[in-house]
Amino acid sequence: MKLVFMGTPDFAVPALAALAAGGHEISAVVTQPDKPKGRGKAMQMPPVKEEALALGIPVLQPERIRDNGPFLEELKRIGPDAIVVAAFGQLLPTELLTLPRYGCINIHASLLPKYRGAAPIQWVIIDGEQETGITTMYMEEGLDTGDMLLRTVVPIDPDETGGSLHDKLAAAGGPLILETLKGLEEGSLTRVPQTGETCYAKMLTKSLGNVDWSMKAAAIERLIRGLSPWPGTYSHLGEKTVKFWKSEVYEGEVPTEMTSLPCGTVAAVTKDAIVIKAGDGFLAVKELQLSGKKRMDAGAFLRGHSLRIGDKMEG
């Protein structure tokens, strides 16, 4: 099948590689423009562009695709059978959606209709879901509202992080899009309208990681996992910012008088954990990082930093 692939971040790379290895003719890859990154502000290519160049595929990087006549004419010239989209980063206009004979097919990182939107991978962990997956779907002008084609389910492990789930779902996208395109060519797939319960996975911001210690301990633990590695969760200890990497709901005993401490207060210190008062109990922080320092386990942190019972983590 002659394809145009549209994608930008690491999540889209395995799907592009699978399509190339699967024998499809990828006439062009469309991705976001290079951007300056790091302290030196050196221009950096999107991961999808790096993969496309390694595969020898022409790359297009329009600043915007809506109301972009030359870009639309280029895609008309190519005449793809289908456009495959995975985390591209821009909404597609009607002229593109109706261009290919097999349509524009999106690889979405959730079990639709739940978790439409920008950050489904992280929100399923934060919300305590037991499973998620990949859905291939027809694109339309609504946000992730098009008819579904195929789905694959991925269980969420108890210690799953946003990073580990991202990698699992990215790997699952390749085989599913190959199966989807095969079904489209054979005419064996049925369009399934999205019905039933839905929710929106809003975009992640750094402020989302500012821990509200009045939340339940289990909810904070899920937040820490869901926002790892980016944007991360944090609090302030005096003038220092503390980033949290690993925690668990604390099941051990604490003195009775500690149960009435203000939320965010250090209630106990063990050899491998810092126990902090949460809204309904206590959270044991196992790995953390001071701003400008390396990530370390709680034991190493306590050996190098003075932390006392009664110290307070602030938002």
Side-chain angles (χ1 to χ4, degrees), residues 221-248:
E221 189 273 336
R222 294 196 305 268
L223 184 72
I224 290 171
R225 286 190 290 112
L227 299 186
S228 174
W230 193 91
T233 48
Y234 62 91
S235 279
H236 297 96
L237 184 62
E239 297 182 354
K240 297 179 179 179
T241 301
V242 182
K243 186 173 182 178
F244 305 108
W245 286 99
K246 188 176 180 180
S247 68
E248 60 186 38

Side-chain angles (χ1 to χ4, degrees), residues 163-179:
S164 64
L165 187 57
H166 168 280
D167 293 348
K168 289 180 182 179
L169 293 174
L176 193 67
I177 190 59
L178 289 175
E179 186 181 353

Side-chain angles (χ1 to χ4, degrees), residues 4-8 29-33 59-76 83-99 104 139-141:
V4 167
F5 183 86
M6 304 179 73
T8 300
V29 164
V30 184
T31 189
Q32 301 281 43
V59 176
L60 304 174
Q61 293 180 276
E63 286 282 349
R64 52 179 291 142
I65 59 174
R66 193 173 291 274
D67 300 322
N68 188 332
F71 173 72
L72 179 61
E73 288 304 313
E74 177 63 14
L75 262 61
K76 286 181 178 179
I83 296 176
V84 175
V85 182
F88 172 57
Q90 296 186 45
L91 294 176
L92 273 58
T94 303
E95 296 89 345
L96 279 188
L97 295 174
T98 57
L99 177 63
C104 295
M139 297 185 72
E140 58 180 32
E141 292 205 33

Side-chain angles (χ1 to χ4, degrees), residues 1-5 16 19-20 24-29 57-58:
M1 190 181 289
K2 181 188 281 191
L3 303 174
V4 167
F5 183 86
L16 174 58
L19 290 169
H24 291 277
E25 177 189 346
I26 307 173
S27 299
V29 164
I57 303 170

Side-chain angles (χ1 to χ4, degrees), residues 132-253:
T132 184
I134 295 287
T135 304
T136 53
M137 54 171 286
Y138 282 105
M139 297 185 72
E140 58 180 32
E141 292 205 33
L143 182 61
D144 301 326
T145 57
D147 291 348
M148 299 179 293
L149 291 166
L150 293 176
R151 304 200 307 172
T152 186
V153 175
V154 174
I156 299 174
D157 293 335
D159 60 349
E160 201 81 71
T161 66
S164 64
L165 187 57
H166 168 280
D167 293 348
K168 289 180 182 179
L169 293 174
L176 193 67
I177 190 59
L178 289 175
E179 186 181 353
T180 300
L181 294 179
K182 183 174 184 290
L184 288 175
E185 283 189 298
E186 295 174 347
S188 59
L189 297 185
T190 301
R191 300 176 68 129
V192 180
Q194 294 190 39
T195 59
E197 181 183 359
T198 186
C199 57
Y200 178 67
K202 67 181 180 180
M203 187 177 296
L204 302 179
T205 62
K206 289 186 178 180
S207 62
L208 182 64
N210 191 355
V211 176
D212 176 0
W213 290 99
S214 68
M215 294 167 54
K216 293 182 177 181
I220 299 174
E221 189 273 336
R222 294 196 305 268
L223 184 72
I224 290 171
R225 286 190 290 112
L227 299 186
S228 174
W230 193 91
T233 48
Y234 62 91
S235 279
H236 297 96
L237 184 62
E239 297 182 354
K240 297 179 179 179
T241 301
V242 182
K243 186 173 182 178
F244 305 108
W245 286 99
K246 188 176 180 180
S247 68
E248 60 186 38
V249 176
Y250 185 66
E251 303 290 355
E253 293 185 3

